[in-house]
Amino acid sequence: MSAPHELTAHEAVRALHAGEVPATEMVEAHLERAQADRWGSFLAVDAERAMARAREIDAMPERPPLGGVPIAVKDALSTRDLTTTAGSRILEGFRPLYTATCVDRLERAGAIVIGKTNMDEFAMGSSTENSAYQLTRNPWDEGRVPGGSSGGSAASVAAYQAPWSLGSDTGGSIRQPAALCGIVGMKPTYGAVSRYGLIAFASSLDQVGPFARTVSDAALLLSHIVGRDPMDSTSLDWPEPIAVPTARDLTGVRFGVVEELMGEGVEPGVRAAVDAAIGLVTDLGGTVEQVSLPTSEHGVATYYLIAPAECSANLARFDGIRYGPRLDGANDILEHYEQTRGRGFGPEVKRRIMLGTYALASGYYDAYYLRAQKVRTLIRDDFQKAFSRVDFLISPTSPSVAFPIGERVSDPLAMYLSDVCTIPVSLAGIPAISIPCGLADGLPVGLQIAGPAFSENALFDAAHALEGAIGFDPSPPGVR
C-alpha cells in the first residue's frame, strides 16, 4: 500500500474503514507535510486538535463515513476557536465563535481539519500574491504562482499535504488554481453549498467547492456539503444525491467548444493540450461542435463592476467597531474608521472597494452597476441558448499556465484577465469543473467543462470519463 499521504481520499476512506491505517497515523502523515510546508500553503496548522480528534475516531466502535480523512480549509471559512483571517491583517488573530456549515458537515462525517490555507486577501486575486501574510508557491515550479484566490488550498492538495481541500470560487478562484496546480477543482451551481460561515466577497457570486486529485474525490467531498441550510436563505434543496462517477465513455454526450474562449490570448501550449482533450471526446463516443457565447467577451468588465460593488458593501462591517482592531488615538468616529480600514486592508482590497463605491454612487449607478446587471442577464441567456444544443461547454480553464511570481503584480488588468475563461460561468451561476488535461512547458493545463444548473452528477460523469482517457499524473516532480 502507498504511504498514507499518497492516498486519494477514496483510498484513504477504504484503508481507514478496513483498519489498515489508524486515523492517528493518517493525520500525522499529513500534518508532518503541512508543518514542513515549503510551499506556503498553510496560514495555520491545528495539529493538537487534529490529533485529538483522530484518537477519538480510532476509539469509536463504528467509524463515521469519512472517519479520519484529513482536509485543509480555505481561510475564508469560519472555524470555531481556530484562527480565521481571510488572508487580511484586519482579521489577524480572529477566532470565530462558530464553524461554517460546510465545514461542520464534513466534521460530522468524520473528516479532520488539519489547518487553514493561504489565500488572496478577502479572495481578491488570481495568484495568492495578495495575501497579507505570505506567498504560496506552485508545487510544480516554486518560482511560479499557484493561482488564486484559493491558491493555498490548491497547493496543499498538489503537494500531498492533504488529500482534498475546500476553496471558494467567486470569479474562478477554485477552477483557476486547480488548473495551475494540476488538480481537480469544482464550482457547483450557485446555492448548492451553504455560504453560512464563508466570509463574503461578492454574495451573488461566492460559492464553496472542492479541490481533489481525482474527479471521484471531488464528487465525494461535494456529496457531504451540498444541500439546503436554514442559516443561508440562498442555499437550495438539492434534487438528488451527488453520486460517485462511474462513466467510462461519452456515448451520446454533446459538447460545445466555446469559440470566444479558444482564440486570442490563449497560449499555444494551452491550446494544444485542450485540443488534444477535445479529440478524446470523440474517441470516447461524444460529439463536438463549435458554440458561440457572444456576450462572454464582456464578462471581465461586467464582473469587475458587480463584484467590487458587492465587496464594497460586504466589507463595510470591518470598521473596528463590529470587526477589526479598535485602534487608539482617533479624534472622532470617522477618523477611527479611516485608521482601521487604512491600516487593515491591503492595496487590492482598497482598489476594489473604491471601484465598487464609485459604481454604486448616486449618478453612476444606472451607468455602471445597473448596466452590468443587464449584461449579466445577457451572458446567462447565452449559456441557456447554448445548452439547448449541447450538454456541456468546453474551454481552457486559464488562458496561460502558472506565471512567474511577481510578473503581474503591477499590472491589475493582466491579473484580472487570468480569469477570463472562468468569469462568464460565475456570472451565469452554473456549475463547472476543471480537470488537468496535459502539460505545456512542463506545467499543468486545465480543461474547463461547464454544464447547466443542477447538472453536477452528469458533469462529474463526463469529467471522470475524460480523466480516465487523459491519464494525467497529478504528482509534481520531486514532491511526492
Side-chain angles (χ1 to χ4, degrees):
M1 189 180 74
S2 301
H5 73 271
E6 294 180 320
L7 300 176
T8 67
H10 266 96
E11 291 169 344
V13 168
R14 191 205 60 77
L16 286 160
H17 280 265
E20 296 171 1
V21 181
T24 47
E25 185 179 337
M26 180 69 68
V27 170
E28 192 170 22
H30 289 90
L31 281 174
E32 285 178 4
R33 295 178 70 83
Q35 290 171 318
D37 199 18
R38 75 174 198 247
W39 303 279
S41 308
F42 286 86
L43 288 175
V45 176
D46 193 11
E48 185 175 340
R49 188 160 62 172
M51 288 303 295
R53 180 61 177 153
R55 287 190 288 272
E56 285 178 4
I57 289 176
D58 279 340
M60 290 179 177
E62 185 172 349
R63 191 178 291 270
L66 302 178
V69 182
I71 187 166
V73 174
K74 186 177 182 177
D75 205 31
L77 288 161
S78 296
T79 43
R80 183 174 180 174
D81 296 329
L82 177 58
T83 304
T84 301
T85 69
S88 178
R89 290 290 180 195
I90 208 166
L91 281 174
E92 188 167 8
F94 173 60
R95 287 174 175 256
L97 298 175
Y98 66 96
T99 295
T101 295
C102 58
V103 179
D104 183 60
R105 287 178 175 177
L106 289 169
E107 289 185 323
R108 288 173 186 271
I112 298 176
V113 175
I114 60 170
K116 306 297 287 292
T117 54
N118 196 26
M119 57 180 285
D120 285 306
E121 184 176 7
F122 286 104
M124 298 179 195
S126 303
S127 64
T128 314
E129 293 169 288
N130 291 329
S131 169
Y133 297 99
Q134 63 190 30
L135 282 174
T136 296
R137 300 182 180 277
N138 192 314
W140 286 83
D141 181 340
E142 294 178 20
R144 294 176 183 262
V145 303
S149 65
S150 309
S153 289
S156 69
V157 174
Y160 289 80
Q161 296 170 302
W164 52 14
S165 64
L166 284 177
S168 67
D169 191 312
T170 305
S173 292
I174 291 175
R175 291 159 286 159
Q176 187 253 16
L180 271 50
C181 290
I183 60 173
V184 176
M186 208 273 185
K187 186 202 87 70
T189 301
Y190 181 79
V193 180
S194 170
R195 291 183 295 111
Y196 180 69
L198 172 66
I199 296 174
F201 165 16
S203 302
S204 74
L205 295 159
D206 295 340
Q207 189 61 180
V208 176
F211 287 102
R213 287 195 291 273
T214 69
V215 174
S216 293
D217 281 2
L220 178 62
L221 183 48
L222 185 63
S223 72
H224 284 276
I225 60 176
V226 75
R228 179 163 171 71
D229 172 18
M231 301 302 289
D232 176 8
S233 61
T234 65
S235 62
L236 301 169
D237 289 316
W238 204 246
E240 59 181 0
I242 300 295
V244 175
T246 57
R248 296 291 180 190
D249 64 40
L250 298 170
T251 302
V253 183
R254 302 165 298 168
F255 289 81
V257 179
V258 183
E259 294 176 16
E260 289 81 2
L261 301 181
M262 291 290 287
E264 186 178 357
V266 178
E267 291 181 350
V270 172
R271 174 68 187 254
V274 171
D275 282 341
I278 292 171
L280 291 174
V281 169
T282 51
D283 293 345
L284 292 169
T287 61
V288 178
E289 63 179 278
Q290 293 289 312
V291 170
S292 176
L293 298 175
T295 56
S296 63
E297 64 177 303
H298 305 300
V300 172
T302 303
Y303 176 85
Y304 279 100
L305 282 168
I306 294 174
E310 294 185 14
C311 97
S312 71
N314 279 326
L315 270 57
R317 74 192 70 174
F318 299 99
D319 55 10
I321 304 296
R322 289 165 289 187
Y323 292 93
R326 188 163 295 188
L327 304 175
D328 296 327
N331 294 312
D332 54 38
I333 189 67
L334 180 59
E335 190 174 321
H336 173 79
Y337 287 164
E338 290 173 347
Q339 287 183 2
T340 299
R341 293 165 68 81
R343 295 181 194 178
F345 289 140
E348 183 60 28
V349 173
K350 291 176 183 173
R351 179 186 292 121
R352 297 198 194 194
I353 289 175
M354 293 293 288
L355 282 170
T357 303
Y358 185 83
L360 292 175
S362 175
Y364 298 103
Y365 178 92
D366 287 353
Y368 295 108
Y369 183 74
L370 183 60
R371 184 173 295 183
Q373 290 289 13
K374 290 178 178 177
V375 176
R376 182 180 190 175
T377 300
L378 295 176
I379 291 172
R380 187 166 58 240
D381 290 347
D382 270 358
F383 276 101
Q384 289 177 343
K385 289 175 187 171
F387 289 131
S388 68
R389 292 172 50 191
V390 298
D391 299 303
F392 301 111
L393 295 171
I394 290 180
S395 70
T397 307
S398 168
S400 71
V401 295
F403 44 91
I405 291 172
E407 183 184 77
R408 301 180 186 179
V409 168
S410 59
D411 188 346
L413 182 58
M415 189 71 82
Y416 295 167
L417 289 173
S418 301
D419 296 329
V420 67
C421 299
T422 55
I423 280 174
V425 167
S426 297
L427 291 168
I430 58 177
I433 190 169
S434 177
I435 63 172
C437 65
L439 297 175
D441 300 324
L443 296 167
V445 175
L447 175 74
Q448 178 175 246
I449 311 171
F454 305 108
S455 67
E456 272 78 352
N457 275 329
L459 199 53
F460 279 129
D461 265 341
H464 177 71
L466 266 174
E467 178 186 54
I470 292 169
F472 183 82
D473 181 356
S475 307
V479 165
R480 194 167 182 174

